[in-house]
């Protein structure tokens, strides 16, 4: 079912990204046009080096594009200065990374508080951790937790600010299948309960079955966009 | 507390060893600043209070004999607010229990009123009463040194008459805070004392009834010192005036000024060195730490923290370390400042100590300390914060190593791969290597600059006592005597050889420059006391002219060949023009010399003597002392052995503690730099080194890679540090060049070696500490972390 433009959260026109290191030029994105819609869980699928992380970084305001334009609603991301991008990330975006990126010297609760302290309308850190099922581990340090638990803390941290968008770069990449499923379940639940637009990058094809929309990447561009008629619960996903 | 602040506190805790190393260096700079300024300000305040309360004079002059009726004329001089005339002379003292003769300066106290100027502060007993011939008040330190109590007696030879006196009181005087006897180098409180006696008693003893031979003046606010001195000189000229002098030339005040200046120099020069090093350490540590925290910084920015907020977080880390350093520095500075002030109080015999605490010192030192820390941090922070979050969170681009010319050269030596790693690392970051070396070099330079003083003192003593003054004692005569008096001196028991010296007060003028000194007439045959140039090591003969010490020649802007006007004070109107035939370097005081015959010719008299240099037969020394104590013609004796001995003793007393403290400071700098460098490298290269261990390299081989680089940097740093230290020493020598004394620039091999030893030891200790960490690296855990 085609969506109309005022449900559109992200859209891009001709995004290119070139990395230059001395004599070598790497074309990570070659003129990408994409649309992402509210409340959808989208999976970006492709081999490593296909450009998915690069696109996610641009959409999240973590990096700039070499050419083309990108919009979040009616904010032109590619025209914004660093200071405005910071505000954008602060107010609208939650991130989840492959290697969790928790601050090792803060407890789970404090890691989440790190974000709520700078947010306009956050939920309490305790509530965020409850949503990911970690209310009993709030005062532990990352070093005292398993990989799955750390990733869930990262998710709690990402959603605590009630972002409109949740961007996840290989959230299960460092986890075994069981814990990976737990993480995916958390993401799915949040997308359903809070209506957060969620984008998940993965190279694991099986995960695409839980998405509303799947975007296939290859060689720096989108090769195909598919809508899933039916979605599979994360617990059913085969690794 | 915000989460980010909690992270801050825990980070400081995690990095406690490195933070402490940096804070210690910072604390030292702050401590020295607080201590030196605190001590100096307290001593200045104490001195000023004592001078004010006891009406320390502004101008002094001696004369041969001037009538008291002259006093109103002096008081009428424009700019003079008070005048006090008195009688002053030197005397030999015979103290029971003291084998050698002692010396005293005898001063008169007014009989009808309180003293107007230079008022002695009574400490025990009372002042001598008018007419009481046997009563004397002595300075407290002299009494303490000789274990005198009120009522004790000793003998004093006044104007040729030996008499017994009784101590009725003790006092401290602002004129004699630093009490050095004539010819001595250091205060010797048991052998030189100040004696106050009633004016009428001294007037009778010295045939100065109705007269005075010493005058002090107090000036009005805004009075011109030179004008007053000039006017006073005119008034006293007919009466054998020897040229007025002000506070700057007054011995006690001059030495006190010198000490205070030393403190000032210490406060101004040493702390900046420590603070700059701290800034450098903070920069180095924080810079690399922040580089290691790249991902976290990227994360914080991804979460929405602004550049400023992130930068501020790391600047606060630096400020945290700075605050610890400042706190430690304040604490130690306050404590040591008090102790030091007290030591000075006792050394200078101030009657009390005004301990001053200016909040400004603390504020300034804190500001300096924090600035050092923040400046160190800002450069480091700025570099990383500008990165985009995505770039920051991805691993840094691998370091680009290049094969360059240096590589070709090194390869000739076919080093092992591990050595290659060391050399490439140095070559890749030459600036960082250079700064680390410089930091270590500072440690060596601090050692050299602080320890060379002992070498300088040794040279000073060698030159002054072995080359120049080779006599065992100098006898001063109460009055000028004909040369034939030397025969009488030679006939004293125990005198092996006697040579004469003829000291005359003169004013030297060259163009617009003028200076008052004593010129010494010597005979060319003299062997006991010679004119010796310390810089060339040669003897210099005045021949028909005048030889000046280098500093005096500088004051007069006179060179060899220039003609100088010599006005003989105390001799009526005798002014002659004499050519400068030599300029010599000497370390004590200002000197001028002429041939005795030349002087005699100019003054149209046969040469006289005012002192005799003697060589003593050890076996008969007691007999000689007894004879001197009773000799009416002798008004003073300086025993050079004693002078040398007390000098050596004073230096030796301080040497041990000074050496220890300086070594500690130098070691602290070296450890601070080396330890931090090693620790950071270990963090940065943990993965690389762990990989090598897994490949089968031993702990020793892996340590070599890390510590080998530091060893090379230390080896380069040492000669650099010795060179910088020598430069600093030269600066110190220049700073302390004064009319009272100057220090030669002498640095022995032992001093250099000691500096090398301290730095090397500190470096080795740091290396060993880090080596333990390398040995205990958890290989598996390290490999699991992302590159």
């Amino acid at each position: 079912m085609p969506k109309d433009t005022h449900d559109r959260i992200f859209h891009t026109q001709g995004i290119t990204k070139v990395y230059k290191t001395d004599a070598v030029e790497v074309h990570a994105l070659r003129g990408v046009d994409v649309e992402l819609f509210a409340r959808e869980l989208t999976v970006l699928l492709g081999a490593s080096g296909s450009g998915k992380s690069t696109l996610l970084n641009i959409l999240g305001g973590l990096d700039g594009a070499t050419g083309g334009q990108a919009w979040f609603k009616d904010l032109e991301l590619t025209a914004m200065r660093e200071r405005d991008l910071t505000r954008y990330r602060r107010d609208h975006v939650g991130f989840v990374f492959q290697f969790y990126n928790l601050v090792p010297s803060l407890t789970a609760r404090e890691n989440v508080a790190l974000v709520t302290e700078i947010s306009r309308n956050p939920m309490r850190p305790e509530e965020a951790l409850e949503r990911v099922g970690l209310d009993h581990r709030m005062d532990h340090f990352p070093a005292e937790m398993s990989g799955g638990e750390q990733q869930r803390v990262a998710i709690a941290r990402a959603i605590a600010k009630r972002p409109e968008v949740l961007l996840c770069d290989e959230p299960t990449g460092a986890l075994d299948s069981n814990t990976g499923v737990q993480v995916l379940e958390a993401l799915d639940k949040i997308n359903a309960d809070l209506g957060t637009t969620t984008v998940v990058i993965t190279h694991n094809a099986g995960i695409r079955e839980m998405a509303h929309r799947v975007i296939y990447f290859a060689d720096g561009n989108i090769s195909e966009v598919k809508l899933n008629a039916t979605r599979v619960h994360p617990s059913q996903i085969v690794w | 507390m915000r989460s980010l602040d909690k992270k801050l506190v825990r980070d400081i805790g995690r990095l406690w060893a490195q933070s402490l190393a940096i804070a210690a260096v910072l604390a030292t700079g702050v401590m020295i600043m607080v201590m030196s300024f605190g001590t100096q300000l307290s001593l200045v305040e104490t001195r000023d209070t004592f001078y004010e309360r006891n009406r320390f004079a502004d101008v002094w002059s001696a004369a041969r004999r001037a009538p008291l009726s002259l006093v109103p004329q002096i008081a009428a001089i424009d700019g003079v607010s008070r005048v006090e005339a008195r009688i002053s002379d030197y005397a030999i003292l015979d103290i029971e229990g003291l084998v050698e003769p002692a010396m005293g300066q005898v001063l008169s106290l007014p009989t009808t009123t309180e003293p107007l100027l230079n008022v002695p502060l009574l400490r025990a007993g009372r002042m001598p009463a008018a007419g009481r011939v046997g009563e004397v008040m002595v300075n407290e330190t002299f009494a303490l040194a000789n274990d005198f109590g009120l009522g004790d007696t000793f003998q004093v030879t006044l104007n040729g008459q030996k008499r017994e006196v009784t101590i009725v009181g003790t006092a401290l005087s602002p004129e004699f805070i630093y009490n050095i006897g004539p010819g001595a180098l250091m205060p010797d409180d048991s052998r030189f004392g100040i004696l106050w006696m009633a004016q009428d008693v001294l007037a009778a003893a010295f045939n100065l009834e109705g007269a005075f031979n010493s005058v002090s003046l107090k000036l009005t606010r805004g009075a011109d010192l030179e004008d007053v001195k000039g006017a006073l000189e005119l008034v006293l000229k007919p009466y054998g005036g020897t040229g007025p002098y002000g506070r700057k030339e007054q011995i006690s005040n001059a030495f006190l000024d010198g000490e205070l200046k030393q403190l000032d120099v210490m406060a101004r020069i040493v702390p900046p060195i420590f603070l700059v090093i701290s800034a450098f350490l903070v920069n180095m540590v924080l810079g690399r730490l922040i580089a290691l925290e790249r991902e976290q910084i990227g994360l914080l920015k991804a979460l929405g923290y602004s550049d400023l907020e992130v930068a501020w977080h790391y600047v606060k880390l630096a400020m945290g370390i700075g605050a610890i350093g400042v706190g430690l520095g304040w604490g130690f500075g306050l404590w040591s400042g008090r102790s030091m002030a007290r030591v000075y109080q006792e050394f200078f015999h101030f009657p009390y100590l005004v301990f001053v605490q200016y909040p400004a010192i603390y504020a300034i030192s804190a500001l300096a300390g924090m600035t050092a820390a923040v400046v160190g941090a800002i450069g480091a922070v700025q570099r990383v914060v500008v990165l985009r979050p995505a770039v920051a969170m991805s691993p840094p681009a691998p370091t680009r190593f290049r094969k360059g010319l240096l590589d070709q050269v090194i390869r000739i030596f076919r080093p092992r791969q591990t050595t290659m790693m060391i050399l490439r690392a140095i070559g890749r970051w030459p600036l960082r290597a250079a700064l680390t070396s410089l930091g270590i070099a500072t440690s060596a330079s601090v050692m050299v600059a602080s320890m060379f003083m002992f070498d300088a003192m040794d040279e000073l003593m060698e030159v002054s006592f072995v080359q120049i003054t080779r006599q065992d004692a100098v006898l001063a005569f109460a009055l000028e005597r004909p040369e034939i008096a030397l025969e009488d001196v030679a006939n004293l028991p125990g005198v092996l050889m006697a040579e004469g010296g003829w000291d005359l007060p003169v004013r030297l003028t060259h163009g617009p420059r003028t200076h008052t000194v004593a010129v010494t007439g010597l005979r060319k045959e003299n062997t006991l006391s010679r004119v010796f140039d310390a810089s060339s090591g040669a003897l210099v003969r005045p021949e028909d002219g005048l030889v000046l010490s280098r500093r005096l020649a500088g004051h007069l802007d006179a060179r060899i060949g220039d003609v100088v006007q010599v006005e003989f004070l105390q001799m009526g109107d005798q002014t002659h023009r004499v050519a400068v035939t030599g300029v010599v370097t000497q370390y004590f005081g200002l000197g001028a010399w002429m041939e005795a015959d030349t002087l005699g010719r100019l003054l149209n008299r046969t040469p006289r003597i005012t002192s005799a240099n003697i060589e003593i037969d050890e076996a008969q020394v007691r007999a000689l002392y007894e004879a001197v104590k009773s000799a009416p013609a002798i008004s003073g004796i300086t025993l050079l052995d004693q002078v040398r001995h007390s000098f050596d003793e004073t230096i030796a007393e301080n040497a041990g503690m000074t050496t220890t403290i300086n070594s500690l400071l130098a070691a602290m700098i070296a450890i601070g730099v080396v330890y931090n460098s090693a620790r950071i490298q270990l963090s940065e290269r943990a993965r690389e080194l762990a990989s090598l261990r897994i490949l089968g390299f031993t702990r020793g081989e892996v340590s070599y890679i890390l510590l080998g680089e530091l060893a090379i940097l230390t080896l380069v740093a040492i000669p650099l540090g010795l060179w910088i230290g020598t430069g600093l020493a030269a600066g110190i020598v220049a700073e302390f060049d004064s009319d009272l004394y100057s220090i030669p620039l002498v640095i022995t091999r032992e001093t250099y070696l000691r500096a090398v030893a301290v730095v090397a030891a500190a470096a080795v200790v740091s290396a060993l500490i880090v080596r333990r960490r390398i040995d205990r690296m958890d290989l598996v855990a390290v490999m699991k972390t992302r590159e």
Side-chain angles (χ1 to χ4, degrees):
Chain A
M1 188 187 354
K3 304 269 191 147
D4 54 41
T5 50
H6 55 252
D7 259 350
R8 215 164 47 167
I9 291 287
F10 285 116
H11 79 279
T12 69
Q13 259 180 22
I15 291 283
T16 57
K17 179 75 181 178
V18 182
Y19 291 106
K20 278 207 184 72
T21 46
D22 272 3
V24 181
E25 265 187 12
V26 176
H27 291 259
L29 293 175
R30 297 170 191 268
V32 173
D33 298 323
V34 73
E35 287 180 321
L36 295 170
F37 295 89
R39 289 178 297 283
E40 281 188 352
L41 192 151
T42 306
V43 165
L44 303 184
L45 198 57
S48 30
S50 54
K52 14 186 235 303
S53 288
T54 310
L55 181 65
L56 197 78
N57 287 342
I58 293 172
L59 292 179
L62 295 179
D63 203 356
T66 311
Q69 288 133 326
W71 282 267
F72 167 77
K73 296 190 184 174
D74 49 11
L75 281 178
E76 192 184 339
L77 300 172
T78 39
M80 281 161 72
R81 287 173 318 183
E82 192 54 48
R83 207 173 319 160
D84 301 318
L85 284 174
T86 302
R87 274 241 79 87
Y88 160 65
R89 291 194 298 275
R90 195 176 182 117
D91 296 337
H92 302 287
V93 186
F95 287 100
V96 178
F97 302 103
Q98 179 178 1
F99 289 102
Y100 337 130
N101 287 71
L102 297 177
V103 177
S105 54
L106 296 176
T107 61
R109 192 202 311 249
E110 288 161 352
N111 262 287
V112 179
L114 198 57
V115 161
T116 58
E117 279 160 5
I118 56 167
S119 306
R120 279 199 256 230
N121 179 26
M123 57 176 89
R124 290 175 307 112
E126 292 78 13
E127 187 191 333
L129 287 164
E130 272 163 28
R131 282 187 183 270
V132 296
L134 283 178
D135 37 319
H136 59 291
R137 303 281 271 156
M138 283 190 217
D139 294 314
H140 287 89
F141 288 94
E144 296 164 334
M145 296 187 204
S146 70
E149 287 172 329
Q150 289 185 61
Q151 192 61 297
R152 284 186 282 153
V153 172
I155 295 173
R157 180 180 64 187
I159 59 156
K161 65 165 93 159
R162 299 186 215 270
E164 280 149 275
V165 173
L166 189 62
L167 303 178
C168 311
D169 191 343
E170 303 270 10
T172 56
L175 305 170
D176 63 80
S177 54
N178 282 336
T179 23
V181 165
Q182 282 182 340
V183 167
L184 293 173
E185 277 177 340
L187 290 174
D188 189 46
K189 195 162 177 302
I190 282 161
N191 170 251
D193 292 349
L194 300 178
T196 317
T197 307
T198 310
V199 182
V200 177
I201 288 181
T202 181
H203 61 270
N204 184 338
I207 294 180
R208 75 187 189 287
E209 305 194 2
M210 70 179 270
H212 291 98
R213 184 182 299 259
V214 184
I215 300 178
Y216 292 86
F217 270 83
D219 290 326
N221 218 326
I222 294 177
S223 59
E224 202 183 337
V225 178
K226 268 203 191 137
L227 290 170
N228 280 343
T230 49
R231 295 171 63 215
V232 165
H233 191 265
S235 55
Q236 313 283 12
I237 290 177
V238 173
W239 233 250
Chain B
M1 209 201 292
R2 292 179 60 120
S3 301
L4 215 50
D5 292 335
K6 287 184 192 169
K7 170 182 181 297
L8 179 70
V9 170
R10 290 182 197 150
D11 278 347
I12 292 185
R14 182 168 53 95
L15 298 164
W16 70 270
Q18 285 171 269
S19 304
L20 196 62
I22 300 172
V25 177
L26 196 68
T28 307
V30 169
M31 175 187 90
I32 292 179
M33 208 186 259
V34 169
M35 175 182 81
S36 315
F37 274 123
T39 305
Q40 192 216 14
L41 290 170
S42 299
L43 289 177
V44 167
E45 189 67 26
T46 303
R47 178 196 65 180
D48 289 346
T49 307
F50 192 26
Y51 280 2
E52 164 108 23
R53 287 191 197 163
N54 291 69
R55 286 175 258 142
F56 187 51
D58 294 312
V59 177
W60 293 258
S61 185
R64 192 162 267 141
R65 188 202 159 86
L68 283 170
S69 54
L70 212 53
V71 171
Q73 194 178 341
I74 298 174
I77 294 176
D78 197 19
V80 173
S81 77
R82 274 183 214 252
V83 182
E84 187 159 57
R86 65 184 177 186
I87 297 169
S88 166
D89 213 323
Y90 290 100
I92 295 268
L93 312 178
D94 186 355
I95 297 173
E96 197 180 317
L98 199 61
V99 173
E100 315 88 22
M103 261 187 74
Q105 182 168 358
V106 184
L107 295 168
S108 67
L109 287 170
T111 41
T112 46
T113 57
E114 289 285 305
L116 291 174
L117 297 175
N118 306 317
V119 182
L121 180 68
L122 198 62
R123 300 286 276 177
R126 59 172 173 82
M127 304 220 185
R132 305 276 187 88
V133 168
E135 288 188 352
V136 71
M137 181 171 75
V138 298
N139 60 324
E140 188 182 59
T141 41
F142 176 66
L144 287 172
N146 284 303
D147 218 5
F148 281 142
L150 298 178
D152 284 345
T153 62
F154 58 92
Q155 314 219 307
V156 62
T157 307
L158 293 175
N159 200 16
Q161 271 236 331
K162 195 167 185 180
R163 54 177 91 187
E164 185 176 272
V165 289
T166 310
I167 298 176
V168 298
T170 63
L172 285 171
S173 166
E175 268 186 297
F176 304 104
I177 293 172
Y178 197 81
N179 207 9
I180 287 196
L185 294 173
M186 298 252 132
D188 186 353
D189 290 320
S190 62
R191 286 186 201 83
F192 180 71
I194 311 297
L195 280 56
W196 287 275
M197 298 176 79
Q199 177 139 17
D200 49 357
V201 172
L202 286 181
F206 288 103
N207 293 325
L208 286 171
E209 279 96 340
F212 63 92
N213 67 357
S214 164
V215 68
S216 325
L217 307 181
K218 194 110 185 93
L219 301 183
T220 56
R221 210 184 289 268
D224 188 295
L225 179 65
E226 294 307 311
D227 286 348
V228 172
K229 278 162 68 177
L232 181 63
E233 182 168 6
L234 278 177
V235 171
L236 289 177
K237 210 165 152 70
Y239 305 99
T242 55
Y245 58 91
R247 283 193 184 185
K248 236 167 39 119
E249 292 89 21
Q250 202 265 349
I251 296 277
S252 164
N253 189 49
F255 270 96
L256 193 47
D257 265 349
E259 279 296 321
L260 292 175
K261 181 170 183 180
Q262 265 193 46
L263 276 175
D264 194 50
V265 165
M266 179 153 84
R268 280 181 211 283
I269 292 188
V270 177
I273 295 178
F274 281 90
L275 290 174
V276 165
I277 297 198
S278 311
F280 163 66
L281 283 178
V282 168
N283 190 318
M284 179 170 73
V285 171
L286 217 61
R288 291 154 83 165
L289 205 86
I290 287 173
L292 288 172
E293 296 235 321
R294 255 176 82 105
E295 275 186 36
Q296 292 218 8
I297 291 175
L299 167 74
L300 289 172
K301 289 180 68 163
L303 292 178
Y305 282 86
S306 69
D307 285 0
L308 201 59
E309 283 169 320
V310 174
W312 177 228
H313 172 71
Y314 286 99
V315 168
K316 274 196 286 190
L317 179 63
M319 286 173 73
I321 297 177
I324 296 173
V326 168
L328 285 174
W330 278 0
F332 282 111
L334 179 59
W335 170 76
S336 57
R338 271 190 199 273
S339 312
M340 212 169 139
R342 215 150 274 142
V343 166
Y344 270 107
Q345 182 205 358
E346 283 170 27
F347 179 66
F348 283 122
H349 314 304
F350 282 116
Y352 40 74
L353 179 65
V354 179
F355 193 73
V356 168
Q357 294 256 62
Y358 282 115
I361 307 175
Y362 290 93
I364 293 174
S365 60
L367 188 64
M370 293 301 259
T371 305
V374 170
V375 161
I378 285 190
V381 166
Q382 203 192 12
R383 271 193 297 279
V384 184
V385 157
V386 295
L387 294 176
R388 289 224 174 97
V391 177
M393 280 193 292
S394 53
T399 319
R400 298 197 60 80
F401 288 95
R402 247 180 273 266
K403 284 197 179 185
L405 187 58
L406 197 60
D407 251 58
Q408 316 268 30
V409 171
I410 295 174
R411 234 143 14 118
I412 298 173
F413 297 96
R414 297 207 199 195
R416 296 179 60 126
Q417 288 312 308
T418 44
T419 308
M420 209 59 209
M421 286 170 79
I422 294 176
L423 296 171
R424 288 238 177 84
I426 294 179
R428 178 62 183 80
W429 291 289
L431 187 60
R432 177 206 281 186
L435 287 175
T436 307
S437 248
L438 190 61
I440 301 172
T442 312
S443 161
S445 68
V446 162
M447 271 301 282
V448 169
S450 55
M451 299 303 289
F452 93 96
M453 275 298 214
F454 296 108
D455 297 337
M457 292 293 153
D458 278 346
E459 170 74 5
L460 206 107
M461 294 308 282
E462 165 73 16
V463 162
S464 306
F465 284 88
V466 175
Q467 301 296 346
I468 299 180
T469 39
R470 298 149 105 242
Q471 68 278 50
D472 294 326
V474 181
L475 302 175
F477 298 117
L479 298 167
E480 224 178 47
R481 317 228 78 170
E483 276 186 304
I484 201 132
L486 278 176
E487 282 181 18
D488 295 331
V489 173
N491 284 336
L492 289 172
V495 175
L496 294 174
M497 180 154 63
E499 288 170 0
W502 190 13
D503 286 308
L504 295 164
V506 297
R507 164 167 289 120
L508 301 176
T509 309
H510 182 234
R513 315 273 194 108
T514 182
H515 209 93
T516 310
V517 289
V519 72
T520 305
L522 294 173
R523 291 213 161 273
K524 34 173 164 302
E525 313 83 64
N526 284 1
T527 56
L528 292 181
S529 179
R530 300 127 23 118
V531 186
F532 179 80
D533 181 15
S535 54
S536 68
L539 293 177
V540 175
R541 298 202 189 293
E543 306 290 351
D544 259 349
L546 180 63
V547 172
L548 303 174
S549 65
R550 183 188 46 82
R551 217 181 141 78
L552 180 56
H555 285 321
L556 294 170
D557 196 22
R559 273 168 281 276
I560 296 181
D562 287 345
V563 173
V564 166
Q565 182 177 290
V566 182
E567 182 191 343
F568 290 89
L569 309 170
Q570 284 189 339
M571 291 242 159
D573 249 315
Q574 291 247 36
T575 302
H576 301 273
R577 296 175 65 73
V578 183
V580 176
T581 51
V583 173
V584 297
T585 304
Q586 68 167 33
Y587 299 123
F588 290 105
L590 301 174
W593 298 267
M594 293 178 71
E595 287 282 337
D597 283 333
T598 312
L599 272 176
R601 197 168 29 82
L602 287 177
L603 297 170
N604 206 12
R605 313 169 62 185
T606 50
R608 316 275 279 170
I609 54 173
T610 51
S611 62
N613 297 314
I614 57 174
E615 194 181 330
I616 303 175
D617 175 8
E618 276 295 310
Q620 298 194 57
V621 78
R622 273 178 182 260
L624 173 62
Y625 289 159
E626 288 307 313
V628 167
K629 285 180 195 179
S630 310
I634 297 175
S635 69
I637 176 166
T638 306
L639 297 162
L640 289 151
D641 246 4
Q642 287 298 340
V643 171
R644 175 156 208 169
H645 182 73
S646 65
F647 191 82
D648 282 345
E649 221 176 48
T650 312
I651 299 288
E653 240 171 54
N654 293 323
M657 195 174 71
T658 311
T659 309
T660 311
I661 293 179
N662 288 323
S663 303
L664 276 175
L665 293 179
M668 196 174 354
I669 296 177
I671 290 180
V673 175
V674 174
Y675 175 71
N676 274 298
S677 225
R679 274 295 274 117
I680 288 172
Q681 275 218 42
L682 182 58
S683 303
E684 288 169 339
R685 302 171 76 176
R687 209 181 154 79
E688 184 185 339
L689 299 174
S691 306
L692 289 175
R693 291 275 286 118
I694 288 170
L695 284 176
F697 279 81
T698 64
R699 293 193 165 110
E701 285 164 331
V702 165
S703 301
Y704 168 65
I705 295 172
L706 195 64
L707 302 175
E709 183 179 333
L710 284 167
I712 293 179
L713 294 179
T714 306
L715 284 174
V716 166
I718 285 176
L720 180 63
L722 296 182
W723 183 69
I724 296 176
T726 307
L728 283 176
I732 293 175
V733 163
E735 189 72 29
F736 278 99
D737 206 21
S738 77
D739 284 352
L740 289 175
Y741 56 84
S742 66
I743 330 172
L745 180 62
V746 170
I747 309 177
T748 59
R749 206 171 38 161
E750 279 72 29
T751 300
Y752 284 126
L753 285 176
R754 200 175 282 129
V756 170
V758 165
V759 172
V764 166
V765 165
S766 316
L768 287 176
I769 296 175
V770 174
R771 161 103 201 228
R772 278 191 73 217
R773 272 192 181 262
I774 297 175
D775 289 350
R776 294 188 300 164
M777 241 185 348
D778 182 345
L779 302 179
V780 175
V782 170
M783 292 306 283
K784 266 196 182 164
T785 60
R786 202 154 70 122
E787 175 79 279

